[in-house]
Amino acid sequence: MADLVSDDLCMTFTNPQTGAAVEALKDINFTLKKGELLSVLGPSGCGKTTLLNMIAGFINPTSGNVALGGNVIEGPGVERGMVFQQGALFEWLPVSKNVDFGLRMKKTDKAESEALVEKWLDIVGLQGFGDTPTYQLSGGMQQRVALARCLVNDPDVILMDEPLGALDALTREKMQSLVLELWKETGKTIMIITHSVEEALLLGERLFVMAPRPGRIHKEYNLPFAERGLKESLRDIKQDAHFSEVREEILTMIWNMEEEIMGRA
Amino acid sequence: MLNWLSDHRASIAAVIILLLVIGFVYSIYVGRKQTKLRSKDEVFGDPERTRGGWYWSLCGISALMLVWFYFSWGIGRAYFPDAANEMCQIAKLEEAVSPIKAALPIGSRYYKSTTLVARNANQLAVIEAQLPTAAFTSDEQAQLTKIIGSTRRLLAVSSDPANQSQASRDQLTSLSSDIEALSAKLRQGPGDRTPSAEALAQPRWGTTHIEIPLLPETAKGILFDEVAVSAKEVAKTFNKIRNNPPANEAIIAETRAEIDAIKAANKSGSFDEDTAATRNAYVKSVERIFKRLDDGHIFPAASLDGVNAAIADLDDAKGEAKGGLGIVDALFFPGDGVVKSRTQCTEQSSGRWLPKPTDVVATFFRLANPDIESGGGFKGTTLLWWKWLPIGDVFAFFTPDWIADILPGEYARHSADGTVTPNFKDGVLAFAQGDINLGSVPMLDGHIWDSLFRVLVALGLGILLGVPLGIYMGVSRFFKSFFDPLIELYRPVPPLAWAPLILTIFGIQDDGKIFLLFMVAFAIMVISARTGASGTQLTKIRASHSLGASDGQILRNVILPNALPEILTGIRIAVGVCWGTLVAAEMLAGTTGVGFIENVARTVSDYELIWVTILIMGLLGLAFDLMMRWVIGKLIPWRGKG
Ligand SMILES: Nc1ncnc2c1ncn2[C@@H]1O[C@H](COP(=O)(O)OP(=O)(O)OP(=O)(O)O)[C@@H](O)[C@H]1O
Ligand SMILES: [Mg+2]
């Protein structure tokens, strides 16, 4: 029963010089059940990253709280793995040392961690790259290392902040399949932030569309595409009429929000 | 072997110079060809253009070496090994006639007589105008005016050719003909004069501290030497010639009497103190001018024309006798040539302060010779060698004496039968003072090692203490704010400004210098480690938090490696700055080290030694830097790729 529960979560940033306050998040309430796949969409600056950072425990909410499996989150922890937009890999370490970083911090037995690293490199499709320096990898490969580094620690929740944002279309599609595969195989709770409406539809069993000022959940969807993506080709799903319909709806929604922001600014 | 090389340095230089010229020409040839080849596939600004290009390095190095050889007179010495000796003989002649030239327009623009007349006439006018009317009676004033007038008359009479004394006329004529005889001798040419055995046995040019052999070694040189000897006699005669016109004698006698009369009046009269002083001073200054003019130093201008022409002709004859040497001098001995001073002939201008490359190498090998007894090393210490270091000394260095003092018990006392049995406390003291024989280890030794040792110890301490502090300052608000003012206050002070203070506190031995360098290295290491640590990307820190790393683990496994490039760059900078500071510190005080050598060399104007130390420092600095670059490349291949 490791559900992720957000209870009246609020975050207000105050500029220490001007004293001006930004309501980055206001009254966020949701429950994410174990094994659910959530994607979060929204115009820039609506508080997506802030929400994720609070779940990861990097910043503390001004009021309200998030709890995982009943425990209120008060700081970073191994049960919540994080994947950043730019891998945030340790460039002084080779791939395998990056992947087993968490294990080494826990002082896991050497043979055991070697086997785990082997296994995860295999799953993300990087077998044989263990000794390669990370700066010699392509962007997509680096992102896969970051995924493996996160998964090897066996977290309950995986948080991803625009993990595929910097990749080209083709690599991106492959990585989307990979994320779906991992979701199916590991059954982990995954929360993924994206800027691409298509990606949000494909990778979201549930989908939050957030709105800015104050940051809040504007609309919630339950979608069948992630489930279908496990069996069908992603490209076929994109051709689907229902898919297009929802996509257009969300695009219009976000477009209007952006217009509103521009108008106000 | 080394001696042979040393004695033949001129010929060796000749070969090297030839190779350099060939290298220079060849590299330009290759370089131009390569430039043409590559101009097709490289646009201007393409960084590829800066790669490779060994030929331009060769070109640059050979050009630099050729310039060095040229301006140090190395080329001149290599191809004209006798030139300096001959120029030395010519310089002797120059020295011999210089007293005559100094009195003539040919040497100093005006006749000396012209200068004297002008100056004394001026001073007479000034003194006449300043006559203190209050101090003298009107009779006396008339008297003084008359004295001044008479003195002025002396100038006029001496300058008139009609009054010139017959004796001086004859002497000047004979002097002119003496000089003409010298010119004639020069024009006859050197003939087959042969150098003396003594001259041939002289050390070669540049191989001893006497730069240029003094005795003439060639026929031409002997000719000049002989003429120089005669010229010296002529100059002596010239200095003795006086023009005492008979018409002056009466004026001089009368004026002297008048001056004496006034001086007597000064003495006998009773004046108040001020008046007496004024009177005495005025009479004294009048007399001073008079005395300058009563002894025949002024000649009519025309009377010296003959001597001036004779000297001009001697210069011509000198030029003719010089022949090809004149061209060699102008082309290969840039600057003021050779000058003879009282005891030796010395190279002037760049030939003086820029030693020849071969001489620098020779001096370096002399210093590098580890055998001190046979003249190697410098001031009783080798340049870089090794010695046996007693291990006891090493431990003693790290063990202060008070350790023994604080042990319980008393030191041993001599017993009633006059013997001393050392106890444990004595043993510890002996250990702390290095009196216990623990065997020896081979250890580097010498001036260079001393300098290196100071830098390395200071740098090591600086890294050991500076990096941790810097890293903590990069991650902790307390450390940053607490230590920042301290470090920022002492760091901007130039290290040498601290030197007098620190050398006083710690003494002029290694401790003081090491501490001074430590201060330099510490500040640099703190700042670079801090910059590196605080520059860690936030996402990396957050990622490691999420991966379960503790604060200490993050410090060690994320922040430290992230700061490593900055730390290594800091070390590289610190080495350079320490090295520079060290040499200056060694110049201030101490008895060993590269800076010490240069300091001694400076006080005795040993330019070769100065250049050797400069080169040693440059090369060691370069070696350090290359090593650090290599280490950086090896240790942080990811630099700039994160
Ligand atoms: N550390 C901070 N201090 C002050 N204001 C902040 C801070 N972090 C975020 N904000 C503000 O909070 C709001 C939400 O920021 P957030 O980064 O969560 O947006 P986002 O939805 O992730 O945007 P994007 O899609 O562009 O990444 C923004 O208005 C931003 O200006
Ligand atoms: Mg964001």
Side-chain angles (χ1 to χ4, degrees):
Chain A
M1 196 346 245
D3 294 351
L4 189 66
V5 183
S6 167
D7 182 16
D8 278 344
L9 193 66
C10 290
M11 182 71 215
T12 310
F13 289 108
T14 315
N15 186 323
Q17 264 111 48
T18 59
V22 179
E23 281 194 303
L25 290 175
K26 191 164 184 225
D27 296 335
I28 304 288
N29 287 297
F30 65 84
T31 301
L32 199 58
K33 291 212 187 60
K34 183 172 162 46
E36 275 184 328
L37 177 57
L38 169 71
S39 58
V40 181
L41 256 181
S44 184
C46 67
K48 305 183 293 288
T49 301
T50 310
L51 177 60
L52 207 69
N53 280 344
M54 276 191 298
I55 298 171
F58 300 143
I59 51 180
N60 291 319
T62 21
S63 70
N65 64 59
V66 203
L68 179 63
N71 302 318
V72 173
I73 291 166
E74 276 166 342
V78 269
E79 71 282 0
R80 283 156 286 134
M82 184 93 179
V83 177
F84 298 88
Q85 178 171 14
Q86 306 274 334
L89 298 178
F90 308 121
E91 67 267 20
W92 52 91
L93 299 174
V95 170
S96 61
K97 291 276 165 203
N98 262 284
V99 175
D100 73 0
F101 187 86
L103 301 176
R104 277 189 291 134
M105 297 303 109
K106 278 193 293 194
K107 307 225 161 51
T108 313
D109 171 68
K110 202 154 183 208
E112 190 185 329
S113 69
E114 262 170 31
L116 274 172
V117 168
E118 197 75 5
K119 174 187 148 196
W120 281 107
L121 281 184
D122 228 41
I123 293 176
V124 298
L126 283 176
Q127 51 275 69
F129 279 92
D131 296 329
T132 315
T134 53
Y135 56 84
Q136 286 177 5
L137 299 178
S138 72
M141 288 158 106
Q142 288 186 2
Q143 219 48 348
R144 280 188 261 172
V145 174
L147 261 175
R149 182 177 70 178
C150 172
L151 286 162
V152 85
N153 247 12
D154 196 25
D156 298 333
V157 182
I158 300 172
L159 306 168
M160 303 197 210
D161 191 354
E162 294 178 35
L164 312 182
L167 304 181
D168 68 279
L170 214 67
T171 319
R172 193 165 182 161
E173 206 172 292
K174 279 193 208 149
M175 291 292 288
Q176 287 165 353
S177 308
L178 178 64
V179 171
L180 286 176
E181 254 169 60
L182 289 173
W183 173 55
K184 186 188 84 180
E185 277 176 26
T186 61
K188 294 201 182 298
T189 317
I190 298 179
M191 179 168 171
I192 184 164
I193 291 178
T194 172
H195 262 149
S196 149
V197 179
E198 266 184 9
E199 188 168 278
L201 293 173
L202 285 172
L203 295 187
E205 197 188 8
R206 291 173 68 188
L207 167 63
F208 291 167
V209 179
M210 290 181 64
R213 305 185 189 203
R216 65 209 125 94
I217 298 171
H218 180 72
K219 189 154 185 194
E220 194 186 329
Y221 291 85
N222 284 303
L223 299 164
F225 307 114
E227 204 64 55
R228 276 172 61 188
L230 292 171
K231 289 157 267 166
E232 294 170 42
S233 121
L234 295 184
R235 218 157 312 155
D236 291 344
I237 299 176
K238 283 186 203 168
Q239 308 295 326
D240 188 286
H242 182 195
F243 186 93
S244 311
E245 190 185 314
V246 184
R247 185 183 60 198
E248 290 312 313
E249 184 187 323
I250 295 176
L251 272 174
T252 317
M253 198 184 306
I254 294 178
W255 189 248
N256 287 340
M257 287 183 208
E258 297 270 14
E259 292 254 280
E260 203 179 329
I261 297 170
M262 293 294 183
R264 244 194 281 173
Chain B
M1 171 68 181
L2 278 180
N3 280 337
W4 185 88
L5 283 175
S6 177
D7 288 343
H8 292 81
R9 47 181 92 158
S11 342
I12 295 166
V15 176
I16 295 175
I17 292 163
L18 213 61
L19 292 177
L20 286 173
V21 172
I22 293 171
F24 182 68
V25 175
Y26 175 70
S27 63
I28 290 182
Y29 168 75
V30 176
R32 285 179 56 92
K33 224 162 87 176
Q34 290 286 335
T35 309
K36 248 180 231 152
L37 272 180
R38 298 192 179 192
S39 60
K40 290 190 200 77
D41 38 59
E42 287 169 10
V43 293
F44 177 81
D46 183 347
E48 198 56 41
R49 281 185 159 211
T50 60
R51 302 251 168 76
W54 58 268
Y55 32 88
W56 293 129
S57 301
L58 176 63
C59 184
I61 292 170
S62 48
L64 181 73
M65 287 301 294
L66 283 173
V67 167
W68 184 4
F69 264 112
Y70 177 73
F71 282 100
S72 64
W73 296 12
I75 295 181
R77 189 173 75 181
Y79 295 107
F80 307 97
D82 294 328
N85 180 259
E86 285 179 352
M87 283 160 69
C88 172
Q89 312 312 318
I90 299 171
K92 283 183 188 170
L93 174 57
E94 203 55 57
E95 186 196 27
V97 296
S98 64
I100 308 183
K101 276 193 174 173
L104 298 174
I106 197 168
S108 25
R109 297 198 181 95
Y110 297 101
Y111 281 116
K112 197 172 155 202
S113 299
T114 310
T115 323
L116 280 174
V117 167
R119 198 173 64 218
N120 287 305
N122 268 339
Q123 289 181 1
L124 282 172
V126 169
I127 220 162
E128 191 169 25
Q130 286 173 347
L131 178 69
T133 46
F136 293 102
T137 64
S138 53
D139 276 358
E140 284 169 334
Q141 285 177 26
Q143 197 82 40
L144 283 166
T145 316
K146 182 161 174 262
I147 295 174
I148 291 171
S150 311
T151 312
R152 199 174 277 135
R153 282 263 310 138
L154 287 179
L155 283 178
V157 173
S158 306
S159 301
D160 186 350
N163 293 330
Q164 197 185 359
S165 69
Q166 190 56 43
S168 73
R169 251 180 244 258
D170 296 342
Q171 283 167 327
L172 284 175
T173 318
S174 117
L175 188 90
S176 295
S177 63
D178 284 351
I179 297 173
E180 274 152 21
L182 292 180
S183 305
K185 187 169 178 179
L186 280 178
R187 289 208 168 89
Q188 271 165 20
D192 53 356
R193 290 169 162 85
T194 47
S196 65
E198 194 191 346
L200 291 178
Q202 296 175 104
R204 308 188 69 97
W205 173 16
T207 47
T208 61
H209 69 279
I210 296 166
E211 286 183 349
I212 298 169
L214 208 57
L215 301 174
E217 288 172 342
T218 58
K220 198 187 269 180
I222 299 171
L223 173 65
F224 274 106
D225 187 43
E226 286 171 4
V227 173
V229 172
S230 322
K232 214 172 209 162
E233 292 307 316
V234 174
K236 258 187 215 158
T237 318
F238 176 78
N239 274 343
K240 284 187 204 137
I241 302 178
R242 295 287 181 273
N243 173 30
N244 288 317
N248 271 354
E249 280 163 25
I251 306 175
I252 290 172
E254 188 191 343
T255 310
R256 186 164 289 147
E258 286 165 350
I259 292 176
D260 287 346
I262 290 210
K263 274 162 96 178
N266 276 356
K267 244 185 209 148
S268 59
S270 59
F271 307 102
D272 66 68
E273 213 171 292
D274 279 353
T275 317
T278 316
R279 287 174 66 100
N280 280 333
Y282 189 74
V283 174
K284 209 176 195 175
S285 51
V286 171
E287 189 186 14
R288 197 187 304 133
I289 300 176
F290 169 73
K291 278 196 169 161
R292 249 189 249 147
L293 298 174
D294 70 352
D295 55 356
H297 276 294
I298 292 174
F299 295 82
S303 72
L304 287 168
D305 284 351
V307 181
N308 196 38
I311 290 288
D313 186 50
L314 180 66
D315 275 352
D316 288 346
K318 193 175 76 184
E320 285 163 34
K322 227 172 148 181
L325 185 58
I327 301 169
V328 171
D329 181 4
L331 281 183
F332 294 104
F333 296 90
D336 299 336
V338 171
V339 161
K340 164 86 181 4
S341 60
R342 222 168 294 145
T343 53
Q344 56 178 324
C345 278
T346 48
E347 301 165 13
Q348 294 300 304
S349 306
S350 60
R352 180 169 158 73
W353 53 258
L354 187 66
K356 292 145 199 70
T358 40
D359 290 357
V360 171
V361 173
T363 306
F364 176 77
F365 276 106
R366 202 188 73 228
L367 287 184
N369 176 7
D371 186 358
I372 299 204
E373 262 95 77
S374 73
F378 185 78
K379 301 266 172 204
T381 307
T382 55
L383 200 55
L384 185 60
W385 201 236
W386 65 277
K387 64 170 182 200
W388 289 106
L389 180 73
I391 297 176
D393 285 0
V394 180
F395 285 114
F397 182 80
F398 293 106
T399 325
D401 292 358
W402 52 259
I403 297 244
D405 295 342
I406 59 169
L407 282 177
E410 295 290 326
Y411 290 112
R413 301 162 169 230
H414 58 291
S415 60
D417 56 1
T419 56
V420 181
T421 324
N423 58 24
F424 178 69
K425 201 168 156 103
D426 295 311
V428 173
L429 184 67
F431 179 80
Q433 292 182 335
D435 293 340
I436 289 181
N437 186 5
L438 295 169
S440 296
V441 283
M443 187 65 203
L444 285 167
D445 183 37
H447 289 290
I448 291 184
W449 170 247
D450 282 355
S451 291
L452 278 178
F453 175 78
R454 289 164 191 156
V455 170
L456 292 181
V457 170
L459 196 66
L461 288 173
I463 293 172
L464 230 54
L465 298 174
V467 169
L469 179 62
I471 296 232
Y472 275 105
M473 284 174 74
V475 296
S476 149
R477 185 166 292 136
F478 167 77
F479 273 94
K480 159 84 167 47
S481 311
F482 188 87
F483 288 104
D484 211 29
L486 294 178
I487 288 167
E488 287 304 326
L489 261 181
Y490 95 76
R491 190 185 61 90
V493 180
L496 278 186
W498 287 111
L501 200 59
I502 286 169
L503 294 184
T504 314
I505 299 171
F506 290 87
I508 62 166
Q509 287 314 310
D510 278 356
D511 318 9
K513 284 174 206 131
I514 289 176
F515 187 79
L516 187 68
L517 299 187
F518 163 74
M519 279 173 59
V520 175
F522 180 72
I524 295 177
M525 291 322 299
V526 167
I527 286 168
S528 51
R530 192 187 75 196
T531 316
S534 61
T536 317
Q537 268 176 36
L538 185 58
T539 51
K540 276 180 204 148
I541 305 272
R542 288 185 163 170
S544 25
H545 274 297
S546 283
L547 290 169
S550 67
D551 292 356
Q553 283 174 324
I554 289 177
L555 215 51
R556 237 171 308 124
N557 293 300
V558 181
I559 295 178
L560 183 63
N562 211 7
L564 201 57
E566 255 94 359
I567 292 173
L568 288 179
T569 312
I571 294 180
R572 193 172 155 195
I573 295 170
V575 168
V577 179
C578 279
W579 192 233
T581 312
L582 168 81
V583 170
E586 284 175 342
M587 281 188 162
L588 289 180
T591 52
T592 59
V594 182
F596 164 73
I597 301 184
E598 176 158 14
N599 192 31
V600 175
R602 177 180 66 86
T603 54
V604 297
S605 298
D606 187 336
Y607 295 100
E608 271 158 36
L609 206 50
I610 291 176
W611 279 95
V612 167
T613 54
I614 289 176
L615 289 183
I616 289 176
M617 287 183 264
L619 289 178
L620 283 179
L622 180 70
F624 266 137
D625 206 61
L626 287 180
M627 199 180 72
M628 280 313 296
R629 262 197 250 176
W630 182 81
V631 167
I632 288 174
K634 275 273 158 208
L635 228 52
I636 40 174
W638 71 83
R639 189 162 66 124
K641 292 167 183 160

